[in-house]
C-alpha cells in the first residue's frame, strides 16, 4: 500500500505529525489506559517538570485550557470588582473573556501596525488608579516588547501576565515565552504550536506563593482533600492529554526549526516591498517567533482569498473584528478607539503553516499569491 499524502492542502497539517509520532503517542496513551489514573496521573507531574525545564521557570502547572489558564492566573491575582487589566483588542476573545470572568474591566490599548502586538509606548497613558495587570498577547507566535512592558509595570507596581497561547517555544533575547513575566498562560489546543488531542493549557511562574495559589484554584480551591480555602474552578488537564504532549515534546525543536524555515521562505517571497499590496507581519530583532500563524497584510483581502481558494489553498483570518467591536466587549471602549487594530482586522490573512507543510505546497501558496499581487498592479 502506498501512503499517499492527502491531495487537498491543509491549513494546519496534524496528520503527518501523528504518523511520525504514532508509535510513541499510542504507547503513551495505552499506558494511561492501563494504569487508569485519568485525572492527576503520573504523566501530569512528568509533563509539568518537562515544561518548566523547557520554558526555564520554577513552576509549570497544567490546566484544562488556555482560557482556564488565563482565568486561574487572574483569579490568583485577587482582582477586585472594577480593577482594570490593560490588554490588546487584537486577540482571540478568550483574552478579554478571562478578564471579565475574573470580575475586572479590560482596558484596550492599540497595537503596532507592523507586528500587530500591543504598543508598549501607549501603555503608560492607559494606567489609572484601578490598573492592576498588563496582559500582552504573544500574537501569531511572537512576544510583544516584554522588556518595555516589564519596566512600565515595575514603575507602577503592576503584574504582567503574558497570554502565551500562541507562542510556546518563542524567545526574546534567548529567554523563552512564559519566562518573561511574573506569570504566563499558554494553550495546548490542537492547532497551537504545541497541541494535544483535546483541550489543555499551562501556567508558568517563578513565584512560589502565586504557584501555590494557582494550584489550589485549579482544584476547587483545595489545599488538602475537602479543605477548600478559596473559591476555585475544576481546571485540571487530564492525564491522557499530558501523555500526548510527552510524546510530542521530543519532536518540538525540529518542528520549530521547520516553522521558522517556512516563515523565512514566505518572508523572502513577500518582504521588501516586492509584492504590491502585500506585506508580511514583522518579527523584531532579538525575538524568535514560533509562527502559530504566518500572517500577511493585504490591501484587498477578499480578492486574494478568492484567488487562493480557487487554487485550492485554505486560509484563515485572525481576527476579522477587534475585540472592542465584538458585541460582548463593545461596552469597554469607544468604537473609534484603537484604529490600528481595527484597520489590521480588515487586512490580515493567515496562510498555511505547520511543521509538516511541504515544499511543493508552500511553493504553490507563494506562486498563487505573488501572481495575484502582480495581476492587480
Ligand atoms: C487559543 C487562544 C486562547 C485560548 O486557548 P484555549 O486553549 O482555546 O482555551 C487564548 N488566547 C489566545 C491568544 C489564543 O490564541
Amino acid at each position: 500500500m502506498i501512503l499517499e499524502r492527502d491531495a487537498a492542502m491543509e491549513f494546519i497539517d496534524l496528520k503527518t505529525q501523528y504518523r511520525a509520532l504514532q508509535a510513541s503517542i499510542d504507547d503513551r496513551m495505552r499506558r494511561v489506559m492501563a494504569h487508569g489514573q485519568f485525572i492527576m496521573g503520573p504523566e501530569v507531574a512528568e509533563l509539568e517538570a518537562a515544561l518548566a525545564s523547557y520554558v526555564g521557570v520554577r513552576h509549570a502547572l497544567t490546566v484544562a485550557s488556555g482560557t482556564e489558564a488565563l482565568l486561574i492566573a487572574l483569579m490568583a491575582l485577587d482582582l477586585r470588582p472594577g480593577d482594570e487589566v490593560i490588554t490588546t483588542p487584537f486577540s482571540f476573545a478568550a483574552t478579554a473573556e478571562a478578564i471579565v470572568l475574573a470580575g475586572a474591566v479590560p482596558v484596550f490599548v492599540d497595537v503596532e501596525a507592523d507586528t500587530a502586538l500591543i504598543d508598549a509606548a501607549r501603555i503608560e497613558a492607559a494606567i489609572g488608579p484601578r490598573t492592576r495587570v498588563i496582559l500582552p498577547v504573544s500574537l501569531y507566535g511572537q512576544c510583544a516588547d516584554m522588556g518595555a512592558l516589564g519596566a512600565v509595570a515595575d514603575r507602577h507596581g503592576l503584574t504582567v501576565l503574558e497570554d502565551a497561547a500562541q507562542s510556546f517555544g518563542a524567545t526574546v533575547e534567548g529567554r523563552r515565552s512564559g519566562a518573561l513575566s511574573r506569570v504566563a498562560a499558554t494553550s495546548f489546543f490542537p492547532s497551537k504550536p504545541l497541541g494535544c488531542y483535546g483541550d489543555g493549557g499551562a501556567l508558568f511562574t517563578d513565584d512560589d506563593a502565586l504557584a501555590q495559589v494557582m494550584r489550589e484554584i485549579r482544584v476547587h480551591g483545595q489545599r488538602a482533600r475537602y479543605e477548600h480555602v478559596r473559591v476555585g474552578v475544576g481546571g485540571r488537564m487530564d492525564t491522557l492529554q499530558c501523555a500526548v504532549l510527552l510524546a510530542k515534546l521530543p519532536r518540538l525543536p525540529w518542528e520549530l526549526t521547520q516553522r521558522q524555515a517556512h516563515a523565512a521562505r514566505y518572508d523572502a517571497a513577500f518582504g521588501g516591498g516586492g509584492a504590491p499590496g502585500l506585506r508580511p507581519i514583522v518579527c523584531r530583532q532579538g525575538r524568535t517567533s514560533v509562527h502559530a500563524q504566518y500572517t500577511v497584510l493585504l490591501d484587498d483581502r477578499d480578492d486574494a482569498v478568492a484567488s487562493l481558494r480557487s487554487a485550492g489553498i485554505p486560509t484563515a483570518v485572525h481576527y476579522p473584528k477587534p475585540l472592542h467591536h465584538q458585541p460582548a466587549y463593545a461596552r469597554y471602549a469607544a468604537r473609534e478607539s484603537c484604529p490600528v487594530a481595527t484597520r489590521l482586522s480588515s487586512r490580515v490573512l493567515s496562510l498555511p503553516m505547520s511543521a509538516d507543510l511541504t515544499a511543493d505546497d508552500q511553493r504553490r501558496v507563494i506562486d498563487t499569491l505573488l501572481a495575484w499581487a502582480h495581476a492587480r498592479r
Side-chain angles (χ1 to χ4, degrees):
M1 188 180 85
I2 300 165
L3 271 179
E4 284 276 0
R5 175 175 289 278
D6 296 328
M9 194 187 308
E10 301 202 50
F11 183 65
I12 295 176
D13 175 9
L14 293 175
K15 293 182 188 127
T16 304
Q17 182 198 50
Y18 177 58
R19 281 197 293 270
L21 294 171
Q22 184 165 9
S24 58
I25 291 175
D26 291 4
D27 178 54
R28 280 277 190 183
M29 292 183 79
R30 263 197 304 271
R31 275 194 262 167
V32 176
M33 256 81 90
H35 69 53
Q37 296 174 62
F38 298 111
I39 297 294
M40 295 312 246
E43 285 79 3
V44 177
E46 187 183 349
L47 177 65
E48 289 177 345
L51 293 174
S53 137
Y54 180 85
V55 170
V57 288
R58 290 168 55 80
H59 305 279
L61 268 78
T62 56
V63 293
S65 68
T67 309
E68 208 70 11
L70 289 168
L71 179 61
I72 291 171
L74 289 165
M75 286 173 76
L77 294 172
D78 207 15
L79 302 175
R80 302 287 141 86
D83 280 352
E84 293 174 357
V85 177
I86 290 175
T87 193
T88 164
F90 202 58
S91 181
F92 181 57
T95 311
E97 187 174 56
I99 295 169
V100 175
L101 284 174
V105 176
V107 173
F108 296 116
V109 165
D110 211 354
V111 296
E112 301 170 337
D114 57 347
T115 64
L117 300 167
I118 192 166
D119 189 342
R122 296 178 201 259
I123 286 180
E124 205 132 34
I127 295 174
R130 304 300 307 270
T131 307
R132 297 280 315 280
V133 178
I134 303 175
L135 203 178
V137 176
S138 302
L139 195 73
Y140 306 143
Q142 176 186 191
C143 298
D145 189 344
M146 299 303 281
L149 289 176
V152 175
D154 287 348
R155 273 203 295 281
H156 295 270
L158 310 176
T159 286
V160 178
L161 160 60
E162 181 195 3
D163 181 342
Q166 301 184 10
S167 61
F168 186 82
T171 60
V172 177
E173 309 293 349
R175 287 168 65 213
R176 287 245 157 80
S177 170
L180 303 164
S181 55
R182 183 168 172 222
V183 55
T186 197
S187 165
F188 302 126
F189 188 82
S191 59
K192 308 282 173 162
L194 176 64
C196 55
Y197 288 159
D199 277 308
L203 285 155
F204 305 108
T205 187
D206 279 325
D207 183 324
D208 297 346
L210 188 62
Q212 176 60 24
V213 172
M214 296 194 299
R215 210 167 265 128
E216 290 167 2
I217 292 174
R218 174 174 68 174
V219 281
H220 309 286
Q222 286 182 107
R223 185 160 296 166
R225 197 173 171 83
Y226 301 129
E227 185 71 27
H228 302 268
V229 296
R230 60 182 77 251
V231 175
V233 295
R236 295 160 299 215
M237 180 168 166
D238 66 68
T239 313
L240 272 171
Q241 299 304 338
C242 292
V244 170
L245 289 191
L246 281 166
K248 283 197 183 191
L249 269 180
R251 194 178 189 248
L252 182 72
W254 176 83
E255 291 183 351
L256 297 185
T257 305
Q258 289 299 109
R259 284 174 176 278
Q260 277 149 11
H262 300 327
R265 273 189 295 274
Y266 275 141
D267 280 348
F270 305 137
L278 162 63
R279 62 190 171 86
I281 289 285
V282 165
C283 185
R284 293 253 190 271
Q285 205 76 55
R287 304 183 202 167
T288 60
S289 173
V290 291
H291 298 285
Q293 308 297 341
Y294 184 87
T295 303
V296 294
L297 304 174
L298 294 163
D299 287 349
D300 189 351
R301 182 174 66 200
D302 290 350
D303 197 51
V305 168
S307 208
L308 289 160
R309 188 185 297 128
S310 61
I313 296 167
T315 58
V317 173
H318 307 97
Y319 296 91
K321 267 188 205 182
L323 295 178
H324 69 299
H325 288 189
Q326 293 287 358
Y329 305 103
R331 79 189 67 165
Y332 299 107
R335 196 172 168 83
E336 326 72 69
S337 67
C338 303
V340 181
T342 302
R343 187 167 150 69
L344 285 174
S345 68
S346 67
R347 302 187 66 214
V348 289
L349 185 69
S350 300
L351 304 178
M353 169 58 85
S354 46
D356 296 290
L357 177 66
T358 65
D360 282 356
D361 280 353
Q362 187 176 26
R363 175 94 332 255
R364 202 145 63 80
V365 177
I366 290 172
D367 290 349
T368 306
L369 201 50
L370 285 180
W372 168 83
H374 286 106
R376 286 174 68 257
R377 216 205 288 256

